[in-house]
Amino acid sequence: MSQAKANIGVIGLAVMGSNLARNLASREGNTVAVFNRSYEKTETLLSEHPEAEFVPAKTYEEFAASLTTPRTAIIMVQAGRGTDAVIDELTRVFEPGDIIVDGGNALFTDTIRREKAVRETGINFVGAGISGGEEGALKGPSIMPGGSAEAWQTLGPILEGIAAVAEGEPCVTHVGTDGAGHFVKMIHNGIEYADMQLIAEAYDLIRRGTGKSPAEIADVFAEWNRGDLESYLIEITAEVLRQVDAETGQPLVDVILDQAGAKGTGAWTVKSALDLGIPVSGIAEAVFARSLSSKPAQRAAAGDLPGPEAAWAVDDADAFIEDVRLALYASKIVAYSQGFDEIIAGAQEYGWEIEKGEVAKLWRGGCIIRARFLNRITEAYAEDPELVALLTAPFFREVLVGGQEAWRRVVVAATQAGIPAPAFSSSLAYYDGLRAERLPAALVQGQRDFFGAHTYKRVDKEGTFHTLWSGDRSEISAVDSH
Ligand SMILES: NC(=O)c1ccc[n+]([C@@H]2O[C@H](COP(=O)([O-])OP(=O)(O)OC[C@H]3O[C@@H](n4cnc5c(N)ncnc54)[C@H](OP(=O)(O)O)[C@@H]3O)[C@@H](O)[C@H]2O)c1
């Protein structure tokens, strides 16, 4: 048995785990124990990074013995059954007071279940969302931990040491209990889907409306990245658009197959939103747009369906590009507003106390959606913690006031040109839906009462009512059956 000398351990040494282990080892005061199911990965890591002075283990027993108490281990294995298998092993060799952290992309309901089961053994379980991909894991990710306040006491300083730093603050906060961290990470990914789709639509519209080349559009994005839209995703978009394929000499974007993949976290965000009754239409459209792109048979079958006859070109390219920028900004505000609505609803449903402003802060660095405008979200919730809809905060209201006409012009242009812009247009429909004084939901409620006696309320008096549709069509008081 090895002597206990590591203060933190990492299990799962694929890309994410080995990079996170190296990040941990590079920080003052850390000695890192490492374990992987198959020992080859451990050997590779040890031989490639002797400077990290890892403490390797071949068995779970050895791994536990190499850690000082309270033992703290971060699991970075394939989410799902892999995580459960490792938790079973760790609960066998760990003791009460020790801490198991799942840093994988777990579904938050799995984290709630696991936390409950592990807690019964006296061991702490922390589900921590980690964003930033492999580079973030190595250099500083954004970390969203859940779990108990007790576990946070030990874990906090370790995670603060390895997280990204934005404006002098580490991008990690104890988000809430049990599954709160993975829930917030899920919303992060949902917003990421929306943001990426909006950027892709902006590119497509500019290209097809102005005839600019991908390299020229890269310049547009680089310019945008110096203003309000400054963000990692805008920055890398310019990089991708500028890339030339070595084999063909074509812009790389033109030789990449136009079928977008997905690992499922966007779909989780939407499924959870459906359960919570929160309209995250921008995120949903982004998830569906990827699904549509990946239906080659259907796309081929529909390829000869008619679209607008006339070719499309905008009259004033610069003015159109500015309209698209404003439409992108407005739609992005909708995506974040919807994401935070889901956080608020999730917190209420699952009993978490989530500081919305703190969540925005921890997304400022290390993660994929890092962006300048996250500070504005923090400020909005600082000014009004009970803000009912983020997009109505003074700063965002002003952006929407300044951009809504451009937003409409862009959606109209896209529709007339037959160019799909589902995230732009659904975001605008959401905006118009929220601000509408009266919605046709009244008619829907009338239809529901007609076929299902689902009842309705009236605008002019208290109570619940039903019309006797198959009788004399008089109205009666009824029991609410919404
Ligand atoms: N890649 C990213 O950019 C990214 C970003 C954020 C979060 N994540 C999350 O981070 C985690 C790790 O991601 P990854 O891409 O580095 O690795 P991965 O491909 O998701 O998983 C491979 C690792 O899981 C281990 N594993 C699988 N089943 C196991 C089991 N039953 N028992 C023990 N170990 C098992 C493998 O061990 P063997 O070597 O023995 O097969 C290997 O170490 C995942 O949850 C992923 O979703 C990834």
Side-chain angles (χ1 to χ4, degrees), residues 248-273:
T248 60
Q250 298 288 310
L252 179 67
V253 72
D254 286 348
V255 296
I256 296 178
L257 189 68
D258 61 343
Q259 296 177 16
K263 283 207 165 163
T265 47
W268 287 353
T269 312
V270 178
K271 282 184 200 168
S272 163

Side-chain angles (χ1 to χ4, degrees), residues 11-19 35-42 60 75-87 89 102-106 128-135 137 182 185 189 263 265 268 368:
I11 295 185
L13 302 176
V15 193
M16 287 295 285
S18 53
N19 278 358
F35 174 86
N36 194 72
R37 178 178 58 176
S38 49
Y39 195 64
E40 298 84 69
K41 277 201 181 72
T42 312
Y60 282 100
I75 306 174
M76 291 302 290
V77 304
Q78 203 165 24
R81 260 183 300 194
T83 310
D84 280 319
V86 175
I87 291 170
E89 294 288 354
D102 174 18
N105 261 341
I130 299 184
S131 174
E134 29 182 310
E135 193 184 331
H182 275 136
K185 169 66 175 18
N189 285 29
K263 283 207 165 163
T265 47
W268 287 353
I368 307 298

Side-chain angles (χ1 to χ4, degrees), residues 125-175:
F125 182 80
V126 176
I130 299 184
S131 174
E134 29 182 310
E135 193 184 331
L138 181 62
K139 295 181 179 162
S142 169
I143 312 176
M144 296 147 253
S148 68
E150 183 200 343
W152 177 245
Q153 297 277 322
T154 306
L155 199 57
I158 298 174
L159 297 184
E160 280 166 3
I162 60 164
V165 175
E167 296 172 39
E169 293 179 273
C171 297
V172 55
T173 311
H174 182 222
V175 172

